[in-house]
Structure formats: structure tokens, C-alpha cells
Amino acid sequence: MTNPLLETREGPFGLAPFDLIQDDHFAPAFSVGLQEHLAEIDAIADNPEPPTFANTIEAMEGAGEVLDNVLSVFFTVSGADSNDARQALQRDFSPRLAAHSSAIYANAALFARIEDLWDRRDSLGLSEEEARVLFLTRRGFVRAGAALTGAEAERMKEVKSRLAVLGTSFTQNLLKDEADWFMPLSEADLEGLPDFVVDSARSAGEALGREGPVVTLSRSLIVPFLQFSPRRDLREKAYRAWTARGANGGDTDNRAIAAETLALREERAKLLGYPDFAAFKLETEMAHTPDRVRDLLMAVWKPARAAAMADQAEMAEMLRADGVNGPFRPWDWRYYAEKRRHALHDLDEAELKPYLQLDKMIEAAFTCSSRLFGLAFAPLDLPLYHPDCRAWEVTRDGRHLAVFIADYFARASKRSGAWCSAMQSQARRPVEKAPIVINVCNFAKPSGGKPALLSYDDARTLFHEFGHALHQMLSDVDFGSVSGTSVARDFVELPSQLYEHWLEVPEVLSEFATHADTGAPMPAALLDKVLAAATFDMGFQTVEYVASALVDLEFHNGPAPADPMARQAEVLEGLGMPDAISMRHATPQFAHVFAGDGYSSGYYSYMWSEVMDADAFAAFEEAGDAFDPATARKLEEFILSRGGSVEAEELYTAFRGRMPGVDALLKGRGLAA
């Protein structure tokens, strides 16, 4: 039997033949990929020729292509369209991948070649990017434990293997909790809900095979339900289910997984000579130390908490005016914030949403990139992994740059949140490759053939993820290991958060925010209200985010807590967390931190990047034009095209002339004194 995952990709742009791939193809292809990659690594390590950059580092860059092709497809479908078979495969693959990685990093002959090159680096005549790739390769080996020997080396393998298993279990438990819960709504329960929420609830019911509407734990449905439902009892029930994900007891409870994960991370850091995991993790980020992260977060926390408490006091009065004598609770916040926004800004999301059509927002994101960077997008008719997916060829001046795939709608088989990934990263060496980039979101799918409508937050998410995609698509480096988003974690959010600013450019909204029924552009008065309310409720949004970031930091700074939930409560109490606001991601559902190492001790990264994105967009404002060609060229030259080929701080300084302070962030959030 031929396996399409192992065939040479001869179709357009090297895209995987999704129409031919079956679940039973993954395991054998995965095994072949592992074997071939190890054989390639052994050949490099055992090469009798003296080590050179070409026969060692560049050869490593080109190794593992079969495995990469298999995993790029597998992780795409397992995250965005999971099923029982794919979850079982993921549980099998995770420890095997960890063992595979450990075997490479433990290859003493390979590490000796890298060390030899490192010792002779000044005499090798390397280009700037080659020197950077050598540095990052060696650092990666050292941080993975390549210099460890004996029992310590064996224990490092065990720790990393167990962490891989735990991360997979955490993700799958969360997905199951999200998929299993729903709350049926009677027709009477729909009273007071805008049409778009009712449509989303009916569509969710249809997707679950129910006769009537339901509320699920998809953010695109539960958040507007909490915003608009006048039924306080139903809001409480939905909110409690939403915040209980991963903490419901039984097989899907993530609390013990979190505790074991934190303990193993601490052990891993200490095996490498670091005092704790935060010190290990932050060494390679722009922030470098836990103290610098804490200083930033606390500088924002104080004004954010003050703003949130002032807002809560006003909304508590609204609650009492509605005849409720009890305390203001977390399931009240979004409902009364929406009423308060309407009162203060005469802005009603039900009035706004018909102007934010998904297709028009996609067009807006594309058009902004065309004006800034000269990109063109042409729809592609290619087999993809789900009928909801869409694809475009991205060109500039007629030259192929990338394939962009988008998967926008929520479904039970998709993990929550939104993300961008590269199924193939840009590179010129050892072989030339063009990016294949995918954006995945969880927007509510409409029923009855109606156009998909977004909230303003949804529209920002679309622009945010497309900013990540641009970082991949505009990459222009030699080596895949430093292309696109292969940058410091607290730098990777800069392009995405920066791109959100173009959604708020008045001429963009006036052109693309058109009514779903009439086609009329958003009235100038409504546009003014949207922009005036841009920082509304920012105290709440900032508090829930910073609380999560500080809990993440304190989990990893110092000894690992035996009881993470108790430590979470301790940190929040020390901050004076408002009773009516919860962390954006409580520990049992904090996938950023516990599904893998990506954002562990690094959830602060969004705010670190926001300091820069506020300052970076100011460069366009100072030029007097949000689409200023000279500033756009500098942005591409120094940020978007360079990936991780240069240190992040050096890249930003080249673009802006200096590093920014926190003032621009506070001003942008409406929190400046």
C-alpha cells in the first residue's frame, strides 16, 4: 500500500495531499520519518571528514524532511480536527518524539563536531546568519542536556519524555471537557439575546445533533451569551462550567498534571545548573530575568486594578438597580459592562456586529498587507483537511511567496483559542522552500446560509493571527531554523499585535465594515463610537491577563508548588485580585503554559511585545500615514523578513532607533495617569 505521507509532494506548492491521507497512514509514516532522520543524523555525526559548517550545521538543517512533512500534517489535523484515532496517535507519538529528540541531543559525536566548529568559529569565515545559526544550534544542544553524562543524562531523557506525555494529556483533557458540556436553551431562555447570539446557539445545537439551541464552551458563543443574557441564573451556570474546564474531577482533571509538570520542569532546570525553571526559560528571551518580567507586569497591574475597581463600583450600582442585593459576581461583569458601554458610548455590539462580516474582515486584512507590503491573494481550489478550510496563493509582483490557509469556524473537534502555524517554513538552504502558513480560529458558524458575523474582539483576533502569518510569509532568510516566527517568545507577538492596529484605522473600517443585509458602510457616527470605545473595560481585560501572567511566572520562579491551586490562590490574594474578575486562564485550563513549554514562564510575552507594538505603530503615526511606504519598508526589512537571524533587541532598535518604555502601552490601553 502506498502511503501519501511518504510520497514526493508533486502537487501545487508542495502542499500535502489531504484528500488521500487517512488516519492509518500516520503511524507507519511517523516510524519511517523517525528512522530516516536518525540515519541522516548518524551520517552527519560519523562523517570522517573534518567538521565544516556545510557538512554539519547546514546538513542538520536539511535533515528530517520526511518527519517534518508527516508531523506538519498530523499536528495540524490533531489540533484543528481531532478524533479518537488522532488523540490515540498523539498519545503514542509524544513520548516517542521526546525520545527521538533526546537521542539526537545525546549524540556525543554530533555534539563534538558542533563544539569543534564553535571553538573555531572566528576562523570559519561565516556569514552573519551562519554564525547565528551555529550559535543557536550549540545553545540548543547545551540547554537540551548534551553536556550531561551518566545518570543525569538518563534522567533528563526521562523528564522530557514524561513532560511530553503530560502536555498531550493536558490538552486532550481540556478538549474533552470543552466538547462534552453544553446547556440546552428553551425558546424562553433566548429572550433578550441579539439575533446573532440566537443564530450561533441554534447552529451549535445543529452541530451537536440537538433539536434546539444550546450554549457550548466555545469562546465565540459563551462570551456573547454572558454579555447579553438577562438570565443571571443561566449566566452563572454557563460561567461556572466555562471556568471549571480541567477541574471537574475524574479522568479529565488537569490539576495533578499541572503539579507534576511544574515539579519536572524545576528538576530539568536544576539538572542544567539553573536555580529554577524561570531562570532557565527566560535566559533566551528579551526579558532575560524574572525580575524584569515582574517589574513590567506590576507597572501595569496597579493602574489596571484601579481602573477595574472603579468600573466594578459603577456596575455594582447597576446590579442593585436591577433589584439584586447580593455581591457583584464574575458572571455579572460582561453583562453589565455591555450595558455600561451602551450607556457611555451609545455602542451596542448587536448594532455593531452586522458591520463585521467575516469575508469583509478577511478582505480588509489582505488589503492592508497589499498596501503595506505589495502582497496579492488569489483563491486556490485545493484539497484541505476540512470543508471549512480555505486557501490562497500569496504573490508579490507576480512571484510566488506563500500559500495561506485559513480555518475560521469553531467545532467540537477543534481545540479552543486561535493560532498560526507553518506547515512549511521559508528557507533558501540547503533547498529553497516557500512558506505554507495556516491561521486557525474559533468563530461562531452561522446557520441557514447567513453570512458569518464577528464581534469586534473576533475581528482583532483575525488581524492578530494574520500578523503572525505575515511574519512567516515575508520571511527572507537562508535557514529554516531562524525563519518566520522562530524568534524569542517575547518578540514573537510583536508582528501580530502590531497588525491589530490597522483594524482601527478609520479608512479601513469605513471601507470594509459594511452591513451584512444592506451593504451600506458603517455610519460615521457608529465608526466614531467604535474608536472612542476602543479602550472601554480595559481595566478588566488587563487585570485578567496580568493575573494569569503573574501566576505563570510565580509557578516557575522558585520551588515548584506541590499544590498549584493553593499557590494560584496565594498569588492572587497577594495581588488583591478583584473578586468579580477571574484569571483569563485558570491553572487547569492554562494550555499556553501546560500543553507544552512554549509559553511556560512566558505568558507575559504578549505584554512585553505590546510595549513594542504600541511604539512601533507610533512610527506610522509620526509619519502621518498608517500606510507610509518608507515605514512599511523598514518594518519588513528589520522585523518581518529577518526572523530570528539577529537578536530581537537589535532588530527592534534598527527599526525604531531605540527600545521603548512602558508609557506607550499604558497610553494605548487608556491606563496612563
Side-chain angles (χ1 to χ4, degrees):
M1 180 182 73
T2 60
N3 190 323
L5 287 164
L6 298 175
E7 298 294 317
T8 302
R9 294 186 179 178
E10 297 177 349
F13 316 116
L15 196 66
F18 285 103
D19 55 333
L20 303 178
I21 296 170
Q22 303 295 323
D23 286 344
D24 59 6
H25 291 137
F26 285 116
F30 178 65
S31 295
V32 170
L34 291 177
Q35 293 166 4
E36 290 196 7
H37 190 205
L38 279 182
E40 291 166 339
I41 292 296
D42 286 343
I44 297 167
D46 298 337
N47 187 343
E49 296 295 322
T52 65
F53 183 89
N55 71 20
T56 303
I57 304 301
E58 186 166 350
M60 290 171 62
E61 289 278 324
E65 183 172 354
V66 171
L67 183 61
D68 288 344
N69 287 343
V70 174
L71 293 179
S72 69
V73 175
F74 177 73
F75 284 124
T76 294
V77 298
S78 62
D81 193 24
S82 186
N83 58 31
D84 290 344
R86 292 167 188 173
Q87 290 191 27
L89 287 167
Q90 195 168 5
R91 290 191 295 271
D92 176 53
F93 288 1
S94 292
R96 293 173 65 190
L97 269 176
H100 177 72
S101 174
S102 294
I104 293 173
Y105 286 119
N107 188 316
L110 181 64
F111 186 51
R113 293 179 73 87
I114 295 169
E115 284 288 81
D116 179 88
L117 290 171
W118 179 249
D119 291 341
R120 295 187 291 114
R121 61 190 180 276
D122 293 335
S123 63
L124 297 176
L126 301 179
S127 69
E128 180 184 33
E129 186 176 328
E130 289 172 336
R132 173 74 172 166
V133 171
L134 173 59
F135 163 74
L136 293 174
T137 301
R138 179 185 180 273
R139 186 176 74 177
F141 268 72
V142 171
R143 286 171 59 83
L148 298 178
T149 58
E152 289 186 336
E154 288 304 310
R155 181 56 185 160
M156 178 64 82
K157 292 179 185 178
E158 294 170 358
V159 167
K160 290 197 288 188
S161 178
R162 181 60 181 161
L163 283 170
V165 171
L166 293 173
T168 297
S169 297
F170 190 98
T171 302
Q172 294 187 355
N173 289 346
L174 189 55
L175 178 63
K176 191 171 193 313
D177 274 5
E178 290 171 348
D180 285 353
W181 188 91
F182 63 90
M183 181 174 69
L185 300 176
S186 68
E187 292 301 314
D189 296 337
L190 301 176
E191 184 178 346
L193 296 177
D195 288 345
F196 75 85
V197 180
V198 174
D199 287 344
S200 294
R202 293 194 191 282
S203 179
E206 292 171 5
L208 292 174
R210 306 282 301 184
E211 291 187 3
V214 303
V215 173
T216 69
L217 297 182
S218 170
R219 189 178 187 90
S220 61
L221 178 51
I222 197 167
V223 167
F225 181 81
L226 293 170
Q227 279 180 287
F228 292 104
S229 176
R231 288 282 302 277
R232 193 172 190 240
D233 59 329
L234 296 182
R235 295 201 310 268
E236 179 180 358
K237 182 179 180 181
Y239 184 87
R240 287 189 182 278
W242 192 33
T243 54
R245 291 169 296 155
N248 287 306
D251 293 341
T252 62
D253 198 294
N254 276 333
R255 287 171 287 190
I257 290 176
E260 186 179 357
T261 297
L262 293 173
L264 289 173
R265 285 178 179 162
E266 181 187 14
E267 183 179 359
R268 176 184 172 191
K270 288 186 172 179
L271 282 169
L272 294 170
Y274 296 87
D276 55 38
F277 187 80
F280 164 73
K281 186 66 182 294
L282 294 174
E283 179 186 51
T284 60
E285 310 298 344
M286 293 182 74
H288 295 307
T289 69
D291 286 344
R292 290 186 72 190
V293 173
R294 193 177 291 106
D295 288 347
L296 168 67
L297 294 174
M298 291 307 299
V300 178
W301 172 262
K302 294 173 184 177
R305 184 184 183 279
M309 295 303 291
D311 291 345
Q312 180 178 326
E314 291 194 24
M315 291 189 292
E317 290 297 324
M318 297 169 69
L319 178 74
R320 283 189 284 273
D322 281 349
V324 179
N325 294 321
F328 191 81
R329 303 304 299 271
W331 47 87
D332 295 318
W333 194 292
R334 288 174 173 83
Y335 179 71
Y336 285 98
E338 183 62 31
K339 293 180 73 170
R340 185 165 171 261
R341 180 170 70 160
H342 192 279
L344 290 177
H345 298 284
D346 192 25
L347 182 61
D348 181 351
E349 185 153 319
E351 176 190 9
L352 172 62
K353 199 156 185 175
Y355 290 97
L356 299 175
Q357 300 176 67
L358 172 60
D359 284 350
K360 296 296 288 186
M361 290 300 100
I362 295 170
E363 187 182 353
F366 287 177
T367 299
C368 288
S369 70
S370 297
R371 293 183 63 181
L372 288 164
F373 310 115
L375 305 185
F377 297 81
L380 292 172
D381 184 13
L382 296 171
L384 300 170
Y385 63 86
H386 192 277
D388 286 344
C389 294
R390 305 156 70 176
W392 294 264
E393 182 187 10
V394 186
T395 60
R396 179 156 60 183
D397 299 327
R399 182 174 68 88
H400 176 77
L401 276 188
V403 170
F404 175 62
I405 301 169
D407 179 3
Y408 288 122
F409 294 126
R411 53 181 172 268
S413 62
K414 182 189 289 186
R415 66 179 171 89
S416 60
W419 63 94
C420 173
S421 58
M423 298 184 69
Q424 179 170 284
S425 296
Q426 179 269 332
R428 284 191 290 268
R429 294 165 56 185
V431 295
E432 190 155 354
K433 294 182 180 180
I436 301 172
V437 188
I438 182 167
N439 277 178
V440 183
C441 299
N442 270 283
F443 304 144
K445 190 173 184 178
S447 61
K450 297 179 181 179
L453 304 178
L454 305 182
S455 67
Y456 198 69
D457 188 52
D458 288 339
R460 290 177 68 95
T461 296
L462 186 149
F463 269 69
H464 178 102
E465 298 305 333
F466 192 72
H468 280 309
L470 286 173
H471 203 179
Q472 298 277 13
M473 294 188 290
L474 292 172
S475 180
D476 187 21
V477 297
D478 285 333
F479 299 103
S481 63
V482 292
S483 74
T485 56
S486 298
V487 299
R489 181 65 63 177
D490 47 12
F491 191 65
V492 76
E493 298 297 337
L494 168 60
S496 54
Q497 292 177 184
L498 174 59
Y499 205 66
E500 292 178 33
H501 288 272
W502 274 274
L503 175 62
E504 296 181 353
V505 172
E507 65 187 276
V508 174
L509 283 174
S510 63
E511 180 177 357
F512 295 102
T514 58
H515 199 280
D517 296 328
T518 67
M522 183 183 292
L526 179 58
L527 175 59
D528 290 343
K529 287 188 285 187
V530 169
L531 297 176
T535 59
F536 175 76
D537 207 29
M538 194 56 74
F540 168 84
Q541 295 179 42
T542 306
V543 163
E544 64 164 6
Y545 166 78
V546 173
S548 291
L550 282 165
V551 167
D552 166 45
L553 180 68
E554 302 306 341
F555 274 166
H556 297 96
N557 188 201
D563 184 347
M565 299 306 294
R567 181 61 176 139
Q568 172 186 298
E570 182 183 12
V571 172
L572 296 180
E573 183 180 359
L575 289 170
M577 183 75 171
D579 291 339
I581 305 179
S582 300
M583 292 167 60
R584 181 169 297 178
H585 305 289
T587 296
Q589 63 219 223
F590 208 163
H592 280 80
V593 171
F594 292 104
D597 276 356
Y599 282 90
S600 56
S601 197
Y603 191 63
Y604 76 91
S605 301
Y606 293 93
M607 189 148 283
W608 190 275
S609 293
E610 191 176 338
V611 171
M612 291 179 285
D613 85 61
D615 179 68
F617 192 71
F620 288 89
E621 294 175 322
E622 291 161 11
D625 180 5
F627 296 95
D628 177 62
T631 309
R633 281 194 298 272
K634 286 183 66 178
L635 177 63
E636 180 177 354
E637 178 183 358
F638 294 118
I639 306 291
L640 297 176
S641 70
R642 301 296 296 277
S645 63
V646 178
E647 285 286 350
E649 189 163 332
E650 186 178 335
L651 289 175
Y652 191 84
T653 302
F655 168 62
R656 199 68 172 103
R658 41 109 184 110
M659 290 297 294
V662 74
D663 294 346
L665 178 147
L666 293 174
K667 180 181 177 183
R669 284 184 170 246
L671 299 173

